[in-house]
Amino acid sequence: MEQSGLRELENRCIQEQPPQCTAACPIHVDVRAFAARMKLGQWAEAWKVLQKTMPLPGVLARICDAPCRENCKRGEAGAPVNIGHLERACARLAPQGGQRILPLPAKGKHVAVVGSGLSSLTVAWDLARKGYGVTVFESGEKPGGNLLNIPDSLLPRNVLESETAVLTSLGVVFRTGENTANPAFPVDILGEFAALYLGLDSPGEVAWDLEPDDDGRPKVQPLAQTTSLAGVFAGGRDSRTKPLSPVWQAAEGRWAATSIDRYIQKVSPTAGREKDGPYRSRLHTSLEGVTPLPETVMSDPGSGYSDIEAREEAGRCLQCQCLECVKVCTYLESFGSYPKRYAREIYNNESIVMGTRKANKLINSCSLCGLCEEVCPEDFAMQDLCLETRRSMVRQGKMPPSAHEFALQDMDYSNGDRFFLNRNQPATDSSTYLFFPGCQLSASSPGHVRQAYSYLTSACAGGVGLLLMCCGAPALWAGREEAFQAVLERLREQWKLLGDPTIITACSTCLKVFREHLSEVQVVSLWEIMREKGGRFPQVAGNLPKRLALHDPCTTRHEKTVQQSVRALLSDLGVEVEELPLSGARTECCGFGGLMQNANPELAREVIIRRAGLSATPSAAYCAMCRDSLAAVGKPALHVLDLLFPAGEENPADRKRPGWSERRENRARLKNSLLVEVWGERGLAMDEGNKIKLIIPEDVREVLDNRRILIEDIQQVVAHAEKTGTRLFHPQTGHFKASFKPMNVTFWVEYSLDGGEYIIHNAYSHRMEVVGGQGNEA
């Protein structure tokens, strides 16, 4: 990924955008962090938040008029948070002490500040911290300007004196009793100072030779705070606020200080300052599920919030953030952050030349389902980032082979002789339709494939062919572009051999692959065909549930017609559909998509456990892997075909998920049965290795399945050990241990003999290379 692409992606994630209140604040106080600490009664920590942003916090926190409140998101669900009174409460409740300020090294430049109102003191505060020498000229006997007119009950004099003392400690010089209204005054001092600030919030008229505005006051360029005289800046009397807003006065002083600093350094006074003042944040905060709450009532308005009242009022803050994608995605949540940061991690991971790539698991764990993009206000597509990065890693040889190897081998099996089959309907020479059941339905429930094909041959005129193979989704998800294109080309060839028929898919993933990557192919889902053609489907049998929580496959996210067809079929069967909280366009992945189950099986299990727990009602799915994933965590789950073609089982909702070995066997048996029963041809013979009889206890079988170790892998190890005698014997247990490396992985098996059968006790695999010894000997 190029840096420009990274920047564009990062910009689309709005999680780090400030809340609307902070963006609307002229000086951008971190209201969210402040309220969070006030809620916990952490007065000192809350005060530090204000000190971080506010100039003269002891003053401004007590008199701030809080224009941010008009933009408080809580105002859309109750009253907005009373942030001004919370700031006053914090100033009263927080332990007071001298604020430690570490100014930058002295720059050797001096600035004059005329007046000592809030804007002028802010200029002095900011510039002194930046290392400038500052002299404040005040016509009165004490510094403070209009601040001295504020009642002591709101702004105690000792507080104002304490804050001006901080300025003095920073080297600010106060010269009081100056005749600043004298026209000769600016001429006298401009030669002494690098720049001058004129505080328009100070009392008294200014008779300076400055270009006036329409009201006769000095004309000031907003934000830059420049005047008609070079080197002279002004502010503190913003015409947009009547009466004068204290926080606006402080803000104009702050903007002027920035402009003065830039003026002295001879750089642009305006470049890159688009967000210096109030602006509209892009942050999106959902109010779904938020209960409206009124403002906390003060028991004594004259004194302000008590500590308990302050905590209650701060607790109404929504702590605005987006995280819409993280809220609905276990994958994004599990890695502890959000897409903007993930994009940076992935970029850094891909850029590593030597060393550990710590983001590999993050990249390969995404299910590529697209839910994040669906819920994101800015359409951030985490799946696109992860998939493109997988492709890049494959091209550069950086993709760990273990991440997706098992799924790719399973794809190769489905496209090999044991499963691949392409035929026209018996007694026909061409096909108007071509049924493509997919490898996973064939692996999970081969009987349904036979029943669905029988239905289609009777319901659809013109001949219905059959094509058994994998659509190539594992290669697509793994970022293996060449392998995926090879599968597509073979699909294209087989489709053309049957005369370009309309393809009917039972699998929504296959449907998506065809529509997105084989645009020349006309494709329709089995559910649309069944809804269109109809048929004598039975009412739901008495042993089956009449109400089902319907799980939409994530690959039907934008297939509204498919989703509606399934619901219509269920309605025709007399089934009441319970809609899950996330369904339709916002459905969740079952954990199989994107090869999550291969790269991160623990996370995939968390994903489906959460999905299964959304309803106590038995589930229905129209994707074989979705149904099997639900069943694997103990959720009663039906495939829609269980209802359309009941097989007389006691309760198919209790059918267990077939293991990986059984899934391969089911595909092979399906092909053989179709060849024999439908086309009258001879089936394929079993491999010699499969003649080895194994006894595998149920708990061991589960271990093998979790470790992606197939029965045929076990058979090869045992056959090799028995043939060569390369095995270890444990005299106390009577068990043998043997290893064999048929391909890239070494398998170890612990077994014992029982007559002519082999009892399997354990097995594991690894990719380590053992140097020395005699090759594969155990």
Side-chain angles (χ1 to χ4, degrees), residues 113 136 188 235 239 264 270 280 299 317 356 391 459 476 479 505 537 558 636 664 678:
V113 176
V136 177
D188 293 340
S239 61
I264 293 173
T270 57
R280 190 70 185 170
S299 56
C317 174
T356 304
R391 290 169 176 163
L476 170 66
T505 66
F537 302 120
H558 301 124
R664 288 196 180 184
V678 178

Short mmCIF file of all heavy atoms in Angstrom, two decimals, residues 113 136 188 235 239 264 270 280 299 317 356 391 459 476 479 505 537 558 636 664 678:
data_model
loop_
_atom_site.label_atom_id
_atom_site.label_comp_id
_atom_site.label_asym_id
_atom_site.label_seq_id
_atom_site.Cartn_x
_atom_site.Cartn_y
_atom_site.Cartn_z
N VAL A 113 1.88 43.68 24.58
CA VAL A 113 0.45 43.40 24.68
C VAL A 113 -0.21 44.61 25.33
O VAL A 113 0.16 44.99 26.44
CB VAL A 113 0.18 42.13 25.50
CG1 VAL A 113 -1.32 41.92 25.68
CG2 VAL A 113 0.80 40.92 24.83
N VAL A 136 3.09 43.54 29.20
CA VAL A 136 1.68 43.91 29.15
C VAL A 136 1.55 45.36 29.61
O VAL A 136 1.98 45.71 30.72
CB VAL A 136 0.83 42.98 30.04
CG1 VAL A 136 -0.63 43.43 30.03
CG2 VAL A 136 0.95 41.54 29.57
N ASP A 188 5.71 54.83 19.76
CA ASP A 188 6.80 54.75 20.73
C ASP A 188 7.26 53.33 20.99
O ASP A 188 8.45 53.09 21.20
CB ASP A 188 6.36 55.40 22.05
CG ASP A 188 6.15 56.89 21.91
OD1 ASP A 188 6.70 57.46 20.95
OD2 ASP A 188 5.41 57.46 22.74
N GLY A 235 -7.78 41.67 18.89
CA GLY A 235 -8.86 40.73 19.11
C GLY A 235 -9.49 40.92 20.47
O GLY A 235 -9.08 41.79 21.25
N SER A 239 -17.67 40.21 17.12
CA SER A 239 -18.99 40.78 16.82
C SER A 239 -20.08 39.73 16.78
O SER A 239 -21.25 40.07 16.77
CB SER A 239 -18.94 41.53 15.48
OG SER A 239 -18.60 40.65 14.43
N ILE A 264 6.62 36.46 13.43
CA ILE A 264 8.01 36.64 13.83
C ILE A 264 8.91 35.62 13.12
O ILE A 264 10.05 35.92 12.74
CB ILE A 264 8.15 36.52 15.36
CG1 ILE A 264 7.44 37.72 16.03
CG2 ILE A 264 9.60 36.45 15.80
CD1 ILE A 264 7.36 37.64 17.54
N THR A 270 -1.87 31.82 8.14
CA THR A 270 -3.15 31.10 8.00
C THR A 270 -3.02 29.65 7.58
O THR A 270 -3.97 28.88 7.74
CB THR A 270 -4.04 31.83 6.97
OG1 THR A 270 -3.34 31.92 5.73
CG2 THR A 270 -4.41 33.22 7.45
N ARG A 280 -17.35 21.84 12.34
CA ARG A 280 -18.26 20.70 12.47
C ARG A 280 -17.46 19.41 12.40
O ARG A 280 -16.81 19.13 11.40
CB ARG A 280 -19.30 20.73 11.35
CG ARG A 280 -20.44 19.72 11.52
CD ARG A 280 -21.34 20.12 12.66
NE ARG A 280 -22.38 19.09 12.91
CZ ARG A 280 -23.16 19.10 13.97
NH1 ARG A 280 -23.05 20.07 14.86
NH2 ARG A 280 -24.07 18.16 14.14
N SER A 299 -29.38 21.79 43.87
CA SER A 299 -30.10 22.06 45.12
C SER A 299 -29.88 23.50 45.57
O SER A 299 -30.73 24.11 46.22
CB SER A 299 -29.65 21.09 46.21
OG SER A 299 -28.24 21.16 46.38
N CYS A 317 -23.14 12.61 30.18
CA CYS A 317 -22.34 12.73 28.96
C CYS A 317 -22.33 11.38 28.24
O CYS A 317 -22.10 10.33 28.85
CB CYS A 317 -20.92 13.16 29.29
SG CYS A 317 -19.81 13.17 27.86
N THR A 356 9.69 -9.65 12.85
CA THR A 356 8.40 -10.30 13.04
C THR A 356 7.27 -9.41 12.52
O THR A 356 7.20 -8.23 12.86
CB THR A 356 8.17 -10.59 14.53
OG1 THR A 356 9.26 -11.40 15.01
CG2 THR A 356 6.85 -11.34 14.73
N ARG A 391 -3.23 -10.28 -0.82
CA ARG A 391 -2.73 -10.44 -2.19
C ARG A 391 -1.30 -9.94 -2.30
O ARG A 391 -0.44 -10.58 -2.92
CB ARG A 391 -3.63 -9.68 -3.16
CG ARG A 391 -5.00 -10.30 -3.35
CD ARG A 391 -5.93 -9.36 -4.09
NE ARG A 391 -7.22 -9.98 -4.36
CZ ARG A 391 -8.31 -9.29 -4.69
NH1 ARG A 391 -8.27 -7.97 -4.79
NH2 ARG A 391 -9.45 -9.94 -4.92
N ALA A 459 -38.83 -29.29 -12.35
CA ALA A 459 -39.46 -27.97 -12.35
C ALA A 459 -39.00 -27.08 -13.50
O ALA A 459 -39.72 -26.17 -13.91
CB ALA A 459 -39.19 -27.26 -11.02
N LEU A 476 -9.64 -17.03 -3.53
CA LEU A 476 -9.95 -15.59 -3.54
C LEU A 476 -9.70 -15.00 -2.17
O LEU A 476 -9.03 -13.96 -2.04
CB LEU A 476 -11.42 -15.39 -3.94
CG LEU A 476 -11.99 -13.98 -3.78
CD1 LEU A 476 -11.30 -13.01 -4.74
CD2 LEU A 476 -13.49 -13.98 -4.01
N GLY A 479 -6.07 -14.55 -1.05
CA GLY A 479 -5.25 -13.63 -1.82
C GLY A 479 -4.42 -14.32 -2.88
O GLY A 479 -3.50 -13.72 -3.44
N THR A 505 -27.30 -21.54 -8.21
CA THR A 505 -26.42 -21.84 -7.08
C THR A 505 -27.23 -22.08 -5.82
O THR A 505 -28.22 -21.40 -5.55
CB THR A 505 -25.44 -20.68 -6.80
OG1 THR A 505 -26.17 -19.54 -6.38
CG2 THR A 505 -24.63 -20.34 -8.04
N PHE A 537 -44.27 -28.40 -1.73
CA PHE A 537 -43.46 -28.52 -0.53
C PHE A 537 -44.38 -28.77 0.66
O PHE A 537 -45.42 -28.13 0.81
CB PHE A 537 -42.65 -27.24 -0.30
CG PHE A 537 -41.74 -26.89 -1.45
CD1 PHE A 537 -41.89 -25.69 -2.12
CD2 PHE A 537 -40.77 -27.77 -1.87
CE1 PHE A 537 -41.07 -25.36 -3.17
CE2 PHE A 537 -39.94 -27.46 -2.94
CZ PHE A 537 -40.09 -26.26 -3.59
N HIS A 558 -26.12 -7.90 -0.03
CA HIS A 558 -26.74 -7.02 -1.03
C HIS A 558 -27.62 -7.80 -2.00
O HIS A 558 -27.88 -7.34 -3.11
CB HIS A 558 -25.65 -6.25 -1.77
CG HIS A 558 -24.80 -5.42 -0.86
ND1 HIS A 558 -23.42 -5.53 -0.80
CD2 HIS A 558 -25.14 -4.48 0.07
CE1 HIS A 558 -22.95 -4.70 0.11
NE2 HIS A 558 -23.97 -4.05 0.65
N PRO A 636 -29.33 -25.40 18.20
CA PRO A 636 -30.24 -26.13 17.30
C PRO A 636 -30.40 -25.33 16.00
O PRO A 636 -30.82 -24.18 16.03
CB PRO A 636 -31.55 -26.20 18.09
CG PRO A 636 -31.14 -26.02 19.52
CD PRO A 636 -29.98 -25.09 19.49
N ARG A 664 -15.19 -34.48 3.38
CA ARG A 664 -14.57 -34.97 2.13
C ARG A 664 -15.23 -36.29 1.69
O ARG A 664 -15.49 -36.49 0.51
CB ARG A 664 -13.07 -35.15 2.33
CG ARG A 664 -12.31 -33.84 2.42
CD ARG A 664 -10.83 -34.05 2.21
NE ARG A 664 -10.11 -32.79 2.29
CZ ARG A 664 -8.80 -32.66 2.08
NH1 ARG A 664 -8.08 -33.74 1.77
NH2 ARG A 664 -8.22 -31.49 2.17
N VAL A 678 -28.00 -41.67 -11.08
CA VAL A 678 -28.59 -40.73 -12.05
C VAL A 678 -28.09 -41.00 -13.46
O VAL A 678 -28.88 -41.06 -14.41
CB VAL A 678 -28.30 -39.27 -11.64
CG1 VAL A 678 -28.87 -38.30 -12.68
CG2 VAL A 678 -28.89 -38.98 -10.26
#
